[in-house]
């Protein structure tokens, strides 16, 4: 989950956004109410130079999370 301003996507947007990435989930649930629990802090919000840097960091974050919860 990311809580922040999405600086790479909307440069001058100062609103706080909540985005949840659900691993290994392929259902369409837009407009649905979901509950989730924050279990682990991965890193501080960071501004990336471009979308590709953001994508690479998200891949590293996913790999990290999978290792942390491996066997859970």
């Amino acid at each position: 989950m990311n809580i922040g301003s999405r600086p790479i996507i909307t440069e001058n947007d100062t609103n706080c956004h909540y985005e949840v990435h659900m691993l290994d989930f392929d259902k369409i649930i837009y407009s649905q109410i979901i509950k989730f629990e924050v279990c682990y802090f991965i890193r501080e919000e960071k501004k990336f130079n471009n979308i590709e840097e953001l994508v690479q960091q998200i891949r590293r974050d996913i790999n990290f999370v999978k290792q942390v919860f491996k066997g859970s």
Side-chain angles (χ1 to χ4, degrees):
M1 174 177 69
N2 178 59
I3 302 173
S5 63
R6 301 184 318 186
I8 187 71
I9 305 299
T10 50
E11 192 169 319
N12 296 318
D13 184 1
T14 57
N15 294 318
C16 186
H17 300 273
Y18 298 81
E19 299 174 327
V20 177
H21 187 123
M22 298 175 9
L23 302 179
D24 303 322
F25 186 85
D26 65 352
K27 302 210 182 320
I28 297 173
I29 59 170
Y30 287 102
S31 300
Q32 300 294 315
I33 296 173
I34 62 169
K35 292 182 181 183
F36 59 91
E37 181 178 346
V38 177
C39 299
Y40 201 88
F41 181 81
I42 299 173
R43 63 176 169 83
E44 298 287 335
E45 186 173 45
K46 177 181 175 183
K47 179 167 176 146
F48 298 94
N49 293 316
N50 54 56
I51 294 292
E52 184 56 35
E53 285 183 11
L54 172 62
V55 168
Q56 292 298 321
Q57 182 61 56
I58 291 171
R59 286 184 182 135
R60 286 190 295 273
D61 293 344
I62 289 169
N63 288 333
F64 177 78
V65 167
K66 285 183 175 183
Q67 289 300 310
V68 167
F69 291 99
K70 190 175 186 175
S72 294

